[in-house]
Amino acid sequence: MHSAVFLIEFGAIVLALGLLGRFAVRCRFSPIPLYLMAGLLFGAGGIVPLGGSEEFIEVGAEIGVVLLLLMLGLEYTAADLVGHLKTHAPAGGVDFLLNAVPGAAAALLLGWGPVAAVVLAGVTWVSSSGVIAKVLGDLGRLGNRESPVILSILVLEDLAMALYLPILTAVLAGSGLLAGSLTLAVALAAVGLVLLAAVRYGRVISRFLASDDPEKLLLVVLGTTLLVAGIAQRLQVSAAVGAFLVGIALSGEVAEHTHHVLMPLRDLFAAVFFVFFGLNTDPATIPPVLLPALVLVVVTAATKVATGYWAARRAGIGTRGRWRAGGALVARGEFSIVIAGLAVSSGMDPALGSFATAYVLLLVVLGPPAARFMEPLAQRLTALSGSRRAAPMPLEPQVRIAEESAPRR
């Protein structure tokens, strides 16, 4: 009986996610907010609370995070990461200051304490690589001059997460200074070793895991990723970081074939992850935090635009490209939910999860329109302000009378 309930519940969820994803594709926006709202409907306090399949969904959500980070790592090579770090480090620093600080300040102002400040700093800091890459592709901007600047900022954020997540894990676990320092040292050593191994022995690693049979490639890469992620979790480095590093270590044709083979599996479990996050959020807790979340959305949307504008100007991009770069970076998504999910699962105030849900829902919906319309909107405002400055000042009455009475030529 329990098996039947599980199959019915899980089948209904997967079917609903498929229909929601199809609807999102037709409307040309990210399905992430729809997945989150589906989780709100099926979770505690929702319309149809689940029972038999919730435990499986929790495990599926963990696999979803691992696959999200693995696929993200496959997008980069170690040489790319090192090159971006050398060239665009100042832009990464500006990105951190402008976007992480507002999140930390919001947590302190709301009275959630310093641990929540570390969490919200990460939530507001990192843009959504998945949403932004899709939007740039849909708008046909991947070949634009400002696109490498956008992608460089995303790369630096992703690389920073490899260091941030272990720190967050230690903070959430309540580790002391010594334990936290040890965790960070392990994380730094792991990242450094993987980057070194990927640069020097990337071809050897890729050749070892390579297979012409998609089934064998899937099993070997997925098994390796889950094994490394589990070891990383055991060392309190974060399973997500372990999966990200595996993706970086793979290169060439193996990375391309793995990306192709794992894409459907990633999409399935990633959708399950977003649903699971929604399941853990009571919809009744969102309205009380909606107003502060909206304020933070306005602030951090503006700071992301400023980040992209500054980075594009530094790279010598024209004014129109600067505005396009700023608008493209507005969306938050998967990483923000991963960070908030870690906090909620550690036993933090549930209001933090509700706040993060509202924040991501608003920005993942706002992100694509911001990328599309930021440049024309900025041009319109610039033109209006320019015309106002250029308009002649009204004449004083005496001057006007004198001009009207002057003889015409």
Side-chain angles (χ1 to χ4, degrees), residues 18-34 37 134-135 138-139 364-365 368-369 372-373:
L19 296 175
L20 290 174
R22 183 184 298 178
F23 175 75
V25 169
R26 288 187 177 181
C27 297
R28 300 184 67 181
F29 67 91
S30 170
I32 292 176
L34 298 182
M37 286 189 283
K134 187 177 188 306
V135 169
D138 291 342
L139 296 177
V364 82
V365 172
R372 186 185 298 266
F373 299 114

Side-chain angles (χ1 to χ4, degrees), residues 65-84:
V65 173
V66 168
L67 291 178
L68 275 170
L69 273 294
L70 169 66
M71 300 295 279
L72 190 61
L74 290 173
E75 300 291 336
Y76 313 123
T77 66
D80 290 337
L81 291 176
V82 173
H84 283 295

Side-chain angles (χ1 to χ4, degrees), residues 63-64 67 218 222 260-271:
I63 297 175
L67 291 178
L218 171 66
L222 182 59
H260 178 73
V261 169
L262 284 177
M263 181 68 76
L265 199 62
R266 189 281 306 267
D267 291 342
L268 169 62
F269 283 103

Side-chain angles (χ1 to χ4, degrees), residues 83-143:
H84 283 295
L85 188 60
K86 290 180 179 179
T87 307
H88 300 284
V94 170
D95 183 31
F96 172 77
L97 290 175
L98 290 182
N99 298 288
V101 172
L108 296 176
L109 289 174
L110 291 170
W112 287 335
V115 175
V118 176
V119 174
L120 270 189
V123 170
T124 59
W125 175 15
V126 185
S127 299
S128 172
S129 300
V131 173
I132 292 170
K134 187 177 188 306
V135 169
L136 291 179
D138 291 342
L139 296 177
R141 294 183 184 174
L142 289 174

